[in-house]
Amino acid sequence: MTIFRRFGLALVAVAALAVWLASSAMADSRQIPISGTGSAQAGDFTPSDGAVTQDEFPTGGESEQGPDPYNGTISFSTGAGGGPSVTSGKKAKSNPTFNFGFEGLNHYQQRYSRGGNQFSVEPPDQGMCAGNGYVVEAVNDVFNVYSAATGASALPDNTSTNIVAGFPRNVNHTIDLNSFYGYAPAINRTTGVRGPFVTDPSCLYDAATQRFFVVALTLNTFPNGAFTHVNHLDIAVSQTSNPTGSWNFYSVDVTNDGTNTGGVNPGPYLGDYPHIGADAYGFYITTNAYPWCCNGFSGEQIYALSKAQLAAGAASVTMQHIDTSGMVNAPSDAGPTQPGFTNWPAQSPGTSQFNLANNGTEYALSSNAADEAQNPVSGAPGTRTSNQLIVWTMTNTASLNTVSPAVSISNKILTVGQYGVPPKQQQPGSGTAPTTDVPQGHCINDTTTLLFNGQTGCWRLLFGGEPAHNEVISRPDSNDTRMQQVMYANGKLWGALDTALNPDAGPQRAGIAWYIVNPSAGSIVKQGYLGAAGYDFTYPAIGVTASGRGVMAFTATGDTLNPSAAYAPIDANAGVGAWNVVTGGTGAARDDGFTSYKSQVGNPPRTRWGDYGAAAVDGNSIWIASEYIAHTCNYTDWGGPFFAGGTGDNLLGTCGGASHGPGTRSALANWSTRISKLTP
């Protein structure tokens, strides 16, 4: 999510195998009642004036910087293939063909949906899924449905009623997530009253039930925006295979789900970073629980629900909750317990790829280099590196369809190539003063531009008091080494994570470690790295068809490459192949978001980038989605009529022109998402 800390990483050695049964001491069963129904349309609102004010950001900020990068060397040779560190010489099965793509949700739509009663938000955590002729996308904090044939929004056109600063605003039919879940606006800009804070969306289309699932974490707030500490997972399930129609909603309160370690990390807890998967019988959500009170970690939480009951819109759905901190592991250097951390549950393509053994089996992958895995009580830093991958197996999942679910869970630790916390990304000009093609950064530094009111200094348009004029072009954030999207397809588990790399023994850059696992045998089928000298690759997401042909999506940046949407093929024969920027996904400009600048978020700033990307399998095709910068916006157009003699939109910084949009950005951010369809 956008507002809470991420801990540093550390080395941990553990026993080769630990088996944990979800006994009554560490698991509880609940009945989750349906909480309502709704559809994808904007809720009630009072149109806003769209001004840039001190209420531009949600309550709370990054409480600390991300972890420092691993200070060692992880070298590999890129070789002729441009990526894998392990080459088999076998012919690749996956050779992706680009079909078509389009720009998905962007910051203009995020900020100005629901009449502008939204915050400026970074990063756009990426949820995307596809099926039945539709592509569904949800990010922080907006939602849209697109035609899979044309890329056009399939939701009703809401332009005429979406009034901001006196004019209708075209947000490509986008609605805010608060509306989608039936909540009050994120902020009522007339009264200042804050609504619930919705974050970390994920999306999955299940071909077996022909239902779309969208999950987000919702934090309740007081009217002034302060958090009440009550938070819940909101599950939306389409009533049919058409996501433009009606949805059912279920809410799982996670406020008290965590481990009080000898009174050190008492509740209430935050259910951060939820992610979803499914097998033949269950729908799964995992969260990282953090105590609101303290700098520590309170365990990975697993929520297993009956998929059939959710799909049927049952009045009450069976759920089993497992706190992995209650699972005692074999002694390790980390101490007597090692709770799971970002156990990403697998999803499967189509209807024939589920593992039906042991009365239903679901898999997940996680890494263990993080402080959360080693030092959950204190979160103390460690070496920020590891060479272990954890395979999680949940069995007896068919019992979720009964009134007395009794799933069991085990894990196995596999030895893999070393991985470690990556450095921040580079983009062209990082560390130098923003030029006029980086308009927000240039504005903060500017003291001479003549404004519409006769004053000088562009900074006055953004601040009440004068900031230091010392901003530089940023280095966007890289992820830590937590696991990213996982698939179970063709009898294998597929996953990837972010890591430090030294391509061709050169300088350290951000790269990707990828894994193909035989979970039944508990062995690595193939593994390797993807990286390139002069480039940074971040936030991978893998989609794999039933035949074992896959695509890995990620963001690519570099010394001469603006933040772009990229991909590489992956299969079990050849591993990961040569990478490319997806057609239409080349970054048009540098990142110019508010989290890049000291005067906006404090010193040092942490330039937030998408906390995760997405991939979705639809038949023999794979849809991928990653963050990138889609549009340019020069300083003159950014200022528009707010500069003396200027013309254009009466909303600062949109570059929307005299016809009032649609704009390409807001005053404070310029991120976009790219959605592409490939056939591997």
Side-chain angles (χ1 to χ4, degrees), residues 374-398:
Q374 181 186 10
N375 299 319
V377 176
S378 66
T383 62
R384 306 178 300 282
T385 186
S386 179
N387 65 346
Q388 295 176 329
L389 181 73
I390 300 92
V391 180
W392 298 75
T393 303
M394 183 180 293
T395 56
N396 197 32
T397 62

Side-chain angles (χ1 to χ4, degrees), residues 510-596:
I512 295 167
W514 53 267
Y515 311 99
I516 306 172
V517 177
N518 181 332
S520 298
S523 62
I524 297 291
V525 175
K526 196 171 287 292
Q527 63 175 308
Y529 303 114
L530 181 67
Y535 294 93
D536 298 290
F537 302 151
T538 55
Y539 300 99
I542 296 177
V544 184
T545 66
S547 64
R549 293 173 169 85
V551 175
M552 181 168 68
F554 53 95
T555 290
T557 60
D559 301 342
T560 60
L561 179 69
N562 291 320
S564 302
Y567 73 99
I570 184 171
D571 65 63
N573 284 346
V576 168
W579 71 279
N580 285 285
V581 172
V582 72
T583 302
T586 301
R590 271 72 64 85
D591 178 53
D592 186 34
F594 66 91
T595 57
S596 297

Side-chain angles (χ1 to χ4, degrees), residues 147-426:
S147 163
T150 66
S153 176
L155 295 182
D157 187 351
N158 55 13
T159 303
S160 62
T161 58
N162 191 52
I163 307 299
V164 184
F167 294 94
R169 303 291 171 171
N170 181 355
V171 293
N172 194 29
H173 313 183
T174 297
I175 67 166
D176 60 300
L177 283 178
N178 282 54
S179 286
F180 179 65
Y181 285 109
Y183 295 130
I187 178 172
N188 182 322
R189 291 195 172 274
T190 300
T191 65
V193 171
R194 312 293 184 91
F197 182 86
V198 184
T199 189
D200 284 1
S202 294
C203 184
L204 183 151
Y205 175 73
D206 181 68
T209 59
Q210 298 185 47
R211 294 293 187 270
F212 289 86
F213 296 79
V214 177
V215 173
L217 172 66
T218 299
L219 286 67
N220 289 0
T221 60
F222 293 107
N224 66 356
F227 295 122
T228 68
H229 296 172
V230 172
N231 60 116
H232 36 95
L233 300 173
D234 286 343
I235 306 168
V237 186
S238 62
Q239 292 184 3
T240 68
S241 59
N242 184 346
T244 68
S246 297
W247 295 69
N248 296 320
F249 299 103
Y250 298 85
S251 184
V252 179
D253 191 324
V254 299
T255 309
N256 297 309
D257 294 342
T259 299
N260 183 337
T261 310
V264 176
N265 289 327
Y269 304 103
L270 170 74
D272 193 30
Y273 210 69
H275 288 291
I276 59 179
D279 70 351
Y281 305 108
F283 178 76
Y284 307 96
I285 311 171
T286 60
T287 67
N288 293 324
Y290 294 92
W292 287 90
C293 69
C294 324
N295 183 31
F297 180 59
S298 299
E300 178 82 9
Q301 310 297 307
I302 301 173
Y303 303 89
L305 299 96
S306 167
K307 185 174 72 173
Q309 293 170 10
L310 286 170
S316 184
V317 173
T318 301
M319 186 194 80
Q320 189 160 25
H321 162 235
I322 302 166
D323 181 352
T324 64
S325 292
M327 301 173 174
V328 178
N329 201 348
S332 74
D333 292 344
T337 63
Q338 183 191 140
F341 174 63
T342 312
N343 300 345
W344 199 303
Q347 56 180 271
S348 296
T351 61
S352 64
Q353 296 296 292
F354 304 123
N355 188 337
L356 304 181
N358 298 307
N359 204 32
T361 299
E362 166 69 357
Y363 296 109
L365 289 175
S366 68
S367 60
N368 68 356
D371 294 332
E372 288 93 332
Q374 181 186 10
N375 299 319
V377 176
S378 66
T383 62
R384 306 178 300 282
T385 186
S386 179
N387 65 346
Q388 295 176 329
L389 181 73
I390 300 92
V391 180
W392 298 75
T393 303
M394 183 180 293
T395 56
N396 197 32
T397 62
S399 70
L400 293 168
N401 291 326
T402 71
V403 295
S404 301
V407 300
S408 62
I409 187 168
S410 64
N411 76 356
K412 186 170 185 178
I413 292 89
L414 307 181
T415 300
V416 296
Q418 185 182 15
Y419 56 89
V421 178
K424 295 183 183 298
Q425 306 170 58
Q426 297 277 2

